[in-house]
């Protein structure tokens, strides 16, 4: 190992207490972020020595090897999720459209948007670094919104085709779809981008990567829906017109186009809200609040090596190493910076700190002090015989920070000090997340409210959107706590409960769900507002708008759920949690909020829904003018 150019140094060998296992610590040159690319040489050297000593078992582990194993496992898992997602999505679209061509179009838009977004993200990464999660989120969000936006277009184009009865050209049909559903796509896309941008306020490179990947793929999907998709629909429409003419020339009856749909199923689902809006609203909200209750026991932790899948070889070696050398499990790095002339004073204080730690049962023997070449930086390494995310390890960190350091190093005037290491990282990162959570959530609520008010000129709808999104997100998070903080679902979902939720999950859920919920909100309410502006009473517009949009919202929700559920099959526990909670949130939003809560609320509010705009009054005036024109129209006898 010493002769390898990647190696900075090799420590003295250390025997386990039973004399069966020998550990050799090897330090890699350069930055920690570059270690993954250099660890291959160490692995190759280990394998070479193993071959020459077949009676011994030689294995290698460490943070770089673990990271490489996790990355490889993530890539394999993503390939599996794609194999699951694409066929199920295609089947869903076939059911929705009854046409192979029309089912393939949404997938083409989604996959081409994903490919373009991955390419663009490579360029953007020079400005906003990607820590390795950008591609994951592009795949997850790209397939969901790409299919969603295409569904909105296709459904509206088919409705206009059925309504036109063959009198409108392909170009006119696409123009009508663009003016209605196309406008909704732009608004919902911008809403997703605006809400996702609030993740930058978390001041965290991982959330910045998630935000950048989401924003890039959504913008590409919106651009595709405004350019490539309409062009493709015109081509397909002209092809359908030619087929219709040929059928007519042969004397065959024209194929009946699918209309607005709705059907008996959606009429039945909407019946409770239509007949008993107050009771439906109360029951639905109470059911969602019941799911929110488990949130009172929410425990947030930073997912670490102790939570990685044991199918990774480096993790199995890590476990055996911890068992053989329990005193080496965790290291606290106490770092002190002071003037070089005070090196002796700093060293004395660190020795005093080490003495206090030696008398504390939470620490193990074997502390050592290292000083930099310029004598300005000193590091005391303290061993802890517990896992990094254990209660004892966290208590040892509290002892260091609040008792031992202030009583020793803290008395040196002008000295700067701190504690690093795995335990500090597991404690400080969630604390940082929690400190940023109010800022991000506050900005998210403000953005959602502003986008809704801008889209519909209604403060009431803006408030309703914020409240419903909060309710569905909180209910989904409560369901996540119920499933993943307990052990009852371990066998069902193939995971080992850590008794906690990953620190990134809640914030990611709120931001992404608020953005995706705007898709449904904009699409559904746009149909309702469109009807109201033509003079339809608000009550009838709500029922008709929900009935005509129910099938596309459901199809979109099923596709999104399929994408997110595929992540539940991944080995990485945090990705499992993200996939589960997003799938649960989308289902709750589509089948409870949009079918039960939203229509009940709008029916109870009536014309007040549009306050302070004059949408309802404008619709009534339009209806009055239309009726008056109909009565004043002269009757001509053309016998």
């Amino acid at each position: 190992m010493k002769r390898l150019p990647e190696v900075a140094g090799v420590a003295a060998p250390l025997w386990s207490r039973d004399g069966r296992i020998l550990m050799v610590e090897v330090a890699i040159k350069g930055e920690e972020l570059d270690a993954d690319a250099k660890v291959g040489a160490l692995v190759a050297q280990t394998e070479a020595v193993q071959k020459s000593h077949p009676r011994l078992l030689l294995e290698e582990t460490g943070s770089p090897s673990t990271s490489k194993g996790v990355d490889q496992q993530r890539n394999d898992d993503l390939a599996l999720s794609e194999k699951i997602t694409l066929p199920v999505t295609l089947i869903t679209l076939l059911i929705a459209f009854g046409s192979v061509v029309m089912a393939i179009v949404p997938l083409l838009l989604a996959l081409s948007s994903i490919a373009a977004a991955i390419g663009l993200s490579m360029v953007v990464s020079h400005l906003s670094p990607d820590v390795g999660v950008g591609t994951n989120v592009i795949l997850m969000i790209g397939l969901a919104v790409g299919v969603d936006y295409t569904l909105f277009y296709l459904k509206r184009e088919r409705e206009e085709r059925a309504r036109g009865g063959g009198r409108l050209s392909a170009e006119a049909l696409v123009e009508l779809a663009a003016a209605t559903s196309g406008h909704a796509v732009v608004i919902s896309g911008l809403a997703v981008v605006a809400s996702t941008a609030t993740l930058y306020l978390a001041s965290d490179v991982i959330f910045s990567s998630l935000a950048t990947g989401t924003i890039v793929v959504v913008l590409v999907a919106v651009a595709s829906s405004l350019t490539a998709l309409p062009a493709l629909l015109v081509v397909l429409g002209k092809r359908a017109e030619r087929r219709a003419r040929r059928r007519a020339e042969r004397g065959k009856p024209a194929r009946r186009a699918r209309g607005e749909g709705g059907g008996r199923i959606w009429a039945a689902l909407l019946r409770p809200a239509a007949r008993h809006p107050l009771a439906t609203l109360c029951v639905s909200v109470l059911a969602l609040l019941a799911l929110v209750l488990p949130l009172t026991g929410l425990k947030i932790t930073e997912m670490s090596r102790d939570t990685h899948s044991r199918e990774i070889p480096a993790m199995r070696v890590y476990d055996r190493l911890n068992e053989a050398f329990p005193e080496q499990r965790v290291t606290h790095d106490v770092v002190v910076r002071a003037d070089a002339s005070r090196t002796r004073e700093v060293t004395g204080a660190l020795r005093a700190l080490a003495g206090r730690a030696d008398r504390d049962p939470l620490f193990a023997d074997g502390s050592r002090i290292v000083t930099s070449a310029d004598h300005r930086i000193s590091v005391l390494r303290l061993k802890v015989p517990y896992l990094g995310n254990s209660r004892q390890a966290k208590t040892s960190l509290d002892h260091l920070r609040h008792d031992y350091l202030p009583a020793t190093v803290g008395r040196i005037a002008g000295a700067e000090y701190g504690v690093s290491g795995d335990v500090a990282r597991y404690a400080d990162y969630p604390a940082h997340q929690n400190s940023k959570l109010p800022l991000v959530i506050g900005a998210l609520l403000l953005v959602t409210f502003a986008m809704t008010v801008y889209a519909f000129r209604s403060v009431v709808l803006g408030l309703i959107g914020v409240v419903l999104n909060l309710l569905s997100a909180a209910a989904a998070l409560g369901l996540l706590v119920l499933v993943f903080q307990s052990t009852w679902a371990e066998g069902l979902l193939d995971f080992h409960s850590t008794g906690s939720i990953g620190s990134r999950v809640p914030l990611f859920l709120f931001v992404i769900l608020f953005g995706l919920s705007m898709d449904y909100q904009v699409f559904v309410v746009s149909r309702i507002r469109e009807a109201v502006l033509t003079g339809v009473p608000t009550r009838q517009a709500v029922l008709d708008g929900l009935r005509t949009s129910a099938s596309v919202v459901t199809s979109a929700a099923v596709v999104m759920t399929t994408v997110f559920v595929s992540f539940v099959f991944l080995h990485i526990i945090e990705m499992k949690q993200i996939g589960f909670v997003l799938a649960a949130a989308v289902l709750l939003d589509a089948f409870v909020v949009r079918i039960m809560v939203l229509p009940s609320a709008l029916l109870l509010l009536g014309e007040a829904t549009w306050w302070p705009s004059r949408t309802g009054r404008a619709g009534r005036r339009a209806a009055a003018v239309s009726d008056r024109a109909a009565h004043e129209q002269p009757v001509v006898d053309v016998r």
Side-chain angles (χ1 to χ4, degrees), residues 186-247:
V186 173
I187 295 297
S188 62
L190 292 177
V192 174
V193 168
S195 61
T196 304
T198 60
L199 280 175
Y200 291 118
L201 297 175
S203 302
D204 179 86
V205 68
I206 294 177
F207 278 123
S208 294
S209 296
L210 293 172
T212 301
T214 301
I215 289 171
V216 170
V217 75
V218 170
L219 288 177
V220 171
V222 170
S224 298
S225 69
L226 296 177
T227 54
L229 180 59
L232 181 58
L233 291 181
V234 170
V235 171
L236 294 175
K238 289 183 176 179
R239 179 185 167 195
E241 289 173 357
R242 288 194 298 269
R243 283 203 309 268
R245 283 196 298 269
R246 286 197 295 267
R247 291 180 66 87

Side-chain angles (χ1 to χ4, degrees), residues 278-518:
L278 182 59
T280 302
L281 181 65
C282 292
V283 171
S284 302
V285 170
L286 287 175
L288 291 173
L289 289 175
L291 291 177
V292 175
L293 285 178
L295 270 182
T296 55
L298 174 66
K299 295 179 182 178
I300 299 292
T301 59
E302 166 67 0
M303 294 302 176
S304 62
R305 282 179 303 203
D306 298 326
T307 63
H308 290 328
S309 169
R310 266 42 193 176
E311 292 186 19
I312 300 172
M315 288 310 307
R316 295 197 294 270
V317 182
Y318 170 77
D319 288 340
R320 289 197 290 273
L321 195 66
N322 282 334
E323 185 178 352
F325 300 91
E327 70 282 358
Q328 302 286 330
R329 285 178 176 173
V330 171
T331 301
H332 289 302
D333 293 327
V334 180
V335 185
V336 183
R337 180 168 64 185
D339 190 84
S341 61
R342 313 194 72 170
T343 302
R344 183 174 297 179
E345 188 179 358
V346 170
T347 302
L350 289 176
R351 286 200 183 105
L353 192 158
R356 290 171 181 258
D358 287 342
R359 294 189 293 273
D360 190 330
L362 294 175
F363 294 86
D365 296 333
S367 59
R368 58 192 178 96
I369 300 173
V370 180
T371 303
S372 63
D374 61 3
H375 300 286
R376 294 179 64 247
I377 308 293
S378 298
V379 180
L380 168 65
R381 300 199 129 182
L382 296 170
K383 301 290 186 180
V384 176
Y386 301 101
L387 294 178
N389 58 359
S390 64
R391 178 183 55 80
Q392 295 91 334
K394 294 174 184 175
T395 304
S396 70
L397 177 65
D398 290 338
H399 287 187
L400 269 181
R401 285 179 165 171
H402 303 305
D403 299 327
Y404 303 157
L405 270 168
T408 54
V409 179
R411 295 181 177 178
I412 302 176
E416 299 176 77
Y417 60 88
V419 182
S420 184
D422 286 343
V423 184
R425 186 157 42 230
Y426 303 153
D428 293 348
Y429 189 80
H432 170 78
Q433 296 283 295
N434 292 336
S435 68
K436 294 292 183 179
L437 193 61
L439 175 63
V440 177
I441 296 298
L444 183 62
L445 297 178
L446 183 61
V447 166
T448 303
F449 176 76
M451 290 297 296
T452 306
V453 172
Y454 170 76
F456 304 113
R457 307 295 190 270
S458 169
V459 172
V460 174
L461 281 173
L463 292 173
I464 289 175
V466 167
V467 171
L468 293 188
N469 286 348
L470 271 177
L471 190 59
S472 60
L477 195 55
L479 191 59
L480 179 72
V481 171
L482 193 64
V483 172
F484 278 87
Q485 279 191 193
S486 305
T487 58
W488 63 271
E490 285 183 333
L492 184 64
L493 299 179
D494 188 25
F495 72 96
H496 295 287
S497 176
T498 62
S500 61
I501 302 300
S503 58
R504 301 180 187 91
V505 176
L507 191 55
F508 186 70
L509 163 70
F510 273 97
V511 171
I512 297 300
L513 180 63
F514 266 63
L516 295 180
S517 293
M518 284 295 289

Side-chain angles (χ1 to χ4, degrees), residues 512-532:
I512 297 300
L513 180 63
F514 266 63
L516 295 180
S517 293
M518 284 295 289
D519 277 353
Y520 301 153
Q521 181 90 343
V522 169
F523 185 70
V524 171
V525 178
S526 291
R527 301 300 296 268
I528 297 172
R529 187 169 184 265
E530 184 182 330
V532 170

Side-chain angles (χ1 to χ4, degrees), residues 45-56:
Q45 183 67 39
T46 303
E47 291 174 351
V49 178
Q50 170 70 86
K51 288 181 180 178
S52 60
H53 297 78
R55 296 180 62 189
L56 300 178

Side-chain angles (χ1 to χ4, degrees), residues 22 24 46 50 57-61 313 316-318 320:
L22 184 70
V24 180
T46 303
Q50 170 70 86
L57 175 62
L58 281 88
E59 295 176 303
E60 187 272 346
T61 191
R316 295 197 294 270
V317 182
Y318 170 77
R320 289 197 290 273

